[in-house]
Amino acid sequence: MSDDIMIEVSNLTKRYPGHTAVADVSFAVGRGEIVGLLGPNGAGKSTILRILSCFMTATTGTVRVAGFDVFHESDEVRRRIGYMPENNPLHLDMRVKEYLKFRARLKGLSFVRSRDRVGVAMEQCGLTHVSRKIVGQLSKGYRQRVGLADALVHEPELIILDEPTVGLDPNQIRSVRQLIKDLGRHHTILLSTHMLPEVELTCSRIIILHEGRVLASDTRENLQHQINGSGQVVAEIAASREELVACWREMEAVDTFDVAPADGEYFRCTLRAANGEDLRSLVYSEARDRGWTLRELSRSQASLEDIFVQVIRREKEERV
Amino acid sequence: MQVYFTLVRRELGGYFASLTGYIIIAAVLLLLGLSFVEVLTKLNAAPTDAPITEIFFVTFYFWIILLLTAPVMTMRTFALERFSGTYETLMTAPVGDLAVVMSKFTGALVFYILTWLPFLGYILIVQRFATGGFVFDPYVLGSTFLGLLLIGALYMALGCFASALTNSQIVAAIISYALGLALFVLSLRSFMSEAGSSLSGRFFEYIAMTEHMENFARGVIDTRPLVLYPSLTVLFLFLTLKVVQSRRWR
């Protein structure tokens, strides 16, 4: 196995009495990547992360982290990962520095080294000025940072974060995301989320999970390309509705379209190309020839939300 | 070893960082004090030659205190961590299952001993104010504390086992109450059957905790309880370990 692969999951299945949480999932994460596991609640994200972090065992399939099997060599694996579980459980009765020191010692760092590393981790996560505070009295955003500091205090090769920004306010979300991005420069990170902007902003690669199976796994750009080619075009034109509808209907390159009234005499037309070509020049020449006033012409990138919805819809259609 | 000591420190810290530890100690002190006053009042009425420890531990006061407080001391060990989710951060750190079980047990046992230390103070008070022939015998006191330690260790192990089974502290306390009281009730059977007459009689005599404690408090160290309590303790710790390990095959 090559040194460049951090996580190798093959044919992973986890069954609980009555239902299958994860069904035959395989994926790999390379060293240095920031990968997002994306899926609605109940898609099996947490289960996969718990198996990766050796908290649970798989029903079938193998998982290797940094070349070590999570079942047979769980000690080696646990030494190499920093894991922040869902809802970030902490010992609320301890002080920040005390807690991090406890965790560092627990992870086998020597006395001197744990002191140094706790200092660095607190610095990195912006906790230095609250180091004497009791964890239970911190705001949720700061608690999240304590969880992150715990995950990275022993300089793990892989950081696993389960829903790292859930329950935070927008400002806190931004700062935690920035923190994750910064961490990504030195660590491999695997995070799970059901929030699309999260992976959109932080992750280099996305794995979409639904009902325990991997629906798609690719970079964001590739996924966008896969879903809707060159994207859709939005044009705001001043013309009569009938004229516009007739025009788009005639145009062969247009697959589907939508005309909605905007303010004044303008209509907002959303056009999707039949064969993935860029419609902008066509729309422009059409407007010029007919003498329409064109005030906006843009090609919208599919947002992750679109990708997500599309992938799940496509999956459903295939099954029917 | 580093993991073990780190965890034991955390366990003890857990008792004292929150109010729980202080409340338990206060409750034990109240019960101890009340029972002691009661014992001394009786002593005033009818003087005796028996050591003060024997007089105290022959009564049921000790058992009431032990049976009532032991489950409260141990109910948090695993159940609280499971409930709050810190069990997940604990078990995903590179720690061995055995180290986790042993550190929880050690933490509870040390705390248990701490709650009984004030008892020494009572003895000293009696020594200070008693007139006449009160003799303070350190060996008797030593054997009393040995008995306290052995029986306490068993109850702590039992409580850890109960706590490992569930993520509710209340359920953990109920299970350990049931198990602890069952052991106690069984040990009372020896009063009912004639000692040594039959196999069952001998058996119940062998597990009669009240009699064992009486012996310890009298300064008699019998080897039978020295074997019985540690082996039962090890059994319950082993069961706890199996429960902790069960997450690997569940």
Side-chain angles (χ1 to χ4, degrees):
Chain A
M1 182 170 153
S2 98
D3 279 349
D4 296 339
I5 293 183
M6 192 71 220
I7 306 174
E8 197 185 27
V9 176
S10 36
N11 309 104
L12 176 68
T13 299
K14 174 75 185 176
R15 275 185 218 105
Y16 291 113
H19 85 285
T20 305
V22 177
D24 200 28
V25 163
S26 302
F27 64 88
V29 173
R31 218 171 263 273
E33 277 189 293
I34 306 185
V35 175
L37 280 183
L38 179 67
N41 293 334
K45 299 173 305 229
S46 289
T47 306
I48 292 178
L49 296 188
R50 281 179 164 174
I51 292 170
L52 272 170
S53 57
C54 311
F55 186 65
M56 278 180 177
T57 49
T59 310
T60 58
T62 55
V63 178
R64 296 179 83 82
V65 173
F68 295 99
D69 188 279
V70 292
F71 186 75
H72 296 290
E73 294 152 307
S74 100
D75 236 41
E76 293 295 327
V77 171
R78 285 186 285 172
R79 239 181 275 285
R80 285 169 174 75
I81 58 165
Y83 171 53
M84 185 171 94
E86 206 174 354
N87 302 325
N88 184 28
L90 302 166
H91 289 294
L92 300 181
D93 53 358
M94 294 176 101
R95 292 179 193 281
V96 172
K97 193 173 179 180
E98 184 193 14
Y99 174 72
L100 291 175
K101 223 163 177 182
F102 157 70
R103 293 291 299 170
R105 294 287 286 162
L106 205 56
K107 291 168 179 179
L109 268 58
S110 73
F111 187 79
V112 178
R113 205 168 135 61
S114 70
R115 199 182 50 200
D116 295 347
R117 281 300 305 165
V118 166
V120 172
M122 285 200 303
E123 187 82 35
Q124 239 173 325
C125 300
L127 287 166
T128 316
H129 62 289
V130 294
S131 68
R132 297 275 307 146
K133 285 217 167 135
I134 291 172
V135 175
Q137 294 172 353
L138 293 177
S139 70
K140 207 152 184 228
Y142 271 107
R143 285 191 203 178
Q144 214 71 8
R145 293 185 194 193
V146 174
L148 281 171
D150 168 30
L152 60 93
V153 72
H154 56 305
E155 290 192 290
E157 295 173 38
L158 170 68
I159 296 180
I160 300 175
L161 308 170
D162 198 351
E163 305 264 3
T165 59
V166 76
L168 299 181
D169 72 32
N171 270 330
Q172 295 169 331
I173 290 181
R174 274 176 62 165
S175 75
V176 168
R177 273 183 197 151
Q178 190 54 46
L179 203 55
I180 294 171
K181 261 188 155 167
D182 293 343
L183 290 177
R185 283 190 217 125
H186 305 286
H187 303 268
T188 311
I189 298 181
L190 179 66
L191 61 87
S192 84
T193 180
H194 63 270
M195 287 194 292
L196 302 148
E198 191 130 304
V199 273
E200 211 158 5
L201 291 171
T202 48
C203 300
S204 55
R205 200 152 63 81
I206 300 162
I207 296 169
I208 297 182
L209 284 171
H210 186 60
E211 291 174 355
R213 281 165 316 123
V214 173
L215 294 193
S217 162
D218 217 327
T219 61
R220 193 180 139 223
E221 292 75 28
N222 284 351
L223 275 177
Q224 277 171 339
H225 199 76
Q226 214 178 309
I227 296 303
N228 63 345
S230 57
Q232 61 189 17
V233 166
V234 173
E236 278 197 9
I237 299 168
S240 76
R241 190 191 193 104
E242 295 72 35
E243 226 179 325
L244 286 166
V245 170
C247 172
W248 304 140
R249 200 166 278 158
E250 278 166 29
M251 207 180 274
E252 269 172 30
V254 174
D255 179 33
T256 56
F257 64 90
D258 184 41
V259 178
D263 53 326
E265 51 191 343
Y266 286 96
F267 282 91
R268 192 174 176 83
C269 311
T270 312
L271 314 169
R272 270 170 225 93
N275 47 7
E277 75 178 280
D278 190 349
L279 293 172
R280 282 177 299 182
S281 50
L282 270 171
V283 172
Y284 172 70
S285 47
E286 198 65 37
R288 190 192 50 201
D289 293 349
R290 298 186 185 227
W292 292 340
T293 318
L294 178 69
R295 73 169 183 186
E296 185 192 329
L297 181 58
S298 61
R299 187 170 65 143
S300 67
Q301 294 282 320
S303 72
L304 212 47
E305 199 144 358
D306 300 325
I307 297 177
F308 190 62
V309 171
Q310 289 267 353
V311 165
I312 287 176
R313 185 188 298 157
R314 200 173 54 186
E315 166 74 16
K316 275 185 186 150
E317 278 164 8
E318 273 168 21
R319 251 191 288 170
V320 169
Chain B
M1 245 359 188
Q2 179 184 327
V3 166
Y4 172 72
F5 285 118
T6 310
L7 283 174
V8 170
R9 246 188 87 184
R10 164 65 208 149
E11 279 306 306
L12 284 173
Y15 283 109
F16 293 110
S18 62
L19 276 177
T20 338
Y22 299 105
I23 290 175
I24 296 176
I25 290 184
V28 171
L29 278 185
L30 177 73
L31 292 171
L32 260 182
L34 274 178
S35 343
F36 210 73
V37 167
E38 196 69 13
V39 167
L40 287 185
T41 317
K42 272 188 202 153
L43 201 61
N44 267 339
T48 164
D49 283 342
I52 188 89
T53 46
E54 185 190 337
I55 300 166
F56 182 73
F57 286 101
V58 164
T59 61
F60 271 67
Y61 297 121
F62 161 70
W63 288 103
I64 291 174
I65 297 172
L66 175 77
L67 292 172
L68 280 181
T69 54
V72 182
M73 289 178 195
T74 50
M75 67 184 188
R76 53 174 288 140
T77 47
F78 287 93
L80 179 64
E81 291 228 45
R82 287 201 174 173
F83 180 75
S84 70
T86 48
Y87 193 62
E88 204 168 332
T89 47
L90 173 66
M91 299 318 277
T92 51
V95 296
D97 294 344
L98 183 64
V100 171
V101 172
M102 286 312 292
S103 62
K104 300 243 171 231
F105 168 70
T106 314
L109 189 59
V110 170
F111 180 76
Y112 165 84
I113 294 294
L114 283 180
T115 60
W116 277 98
L117 279 184
F119 184 73
L120 287 175
Y122 295 165
I123 304 279
L124 291 176
I125 289 171
V126 173
Q127 192 187 22
R128 171 75 182 73
F129 291 103
T131 50
F134 176 73
V135 189
F136 171 72
D137 186 347
Y139 294 106
V140 172
L141 202 60
S143 81
T144 307
F145 267 87
L146 177 67
L148 271 178
L149 177 72
L150 289 177
I151 295 180
L154 168 59
Y155 272 83
M156 293 302 120
L158 203 149
C160 285
F161 169 65
S163 190
L165 289 174
T166 166
N167 57 13
S168 151
Q169 292 194 61
I170 301 293
V171 173
I174 292 171
I175 295 174
S176 51
Y177 271 124
L179 288 174
L181 279 170
L183 269 182
F184 183 68
V185 168
L186 282 179
S187 79
L188 289 183
R189 281 290 295 271
S190 70
F191 287 124
M192 286 173 246
S193 57
E194 272 175 54
S197 63
S198 62
L199 187 66
S200 70
R202 287 220 306 280
F203 173 75
F204 286 117
E205 196 187 50
Y206 183 64
I207 62 160
M209 294 196 292
T210 44
E211 267 168 53
H212 298 158
M213 196 57 216
E214 204 179 312
N215 279 338
F216 280 120
R218 202 181 277 150
V220 179
I221 298 178
D222 190 344
T223 47
R224 283 174 300 176
L226 278 187
V227 175
L228 175 71
Y229 292 110
S231 37
L232 277 178
T233 306
V234 169
L235 171 70
F236 278 108
L237 287 178
F238 174 75
L239 290 177
T240 314
L241 181 65
K242 288 294 139 192
V243 174
V244 169
Q245 285 172 343
S246 72
R247 95 202 128 83
R248 284 172 69 81
W249 46 257
R250 261 200 298 206

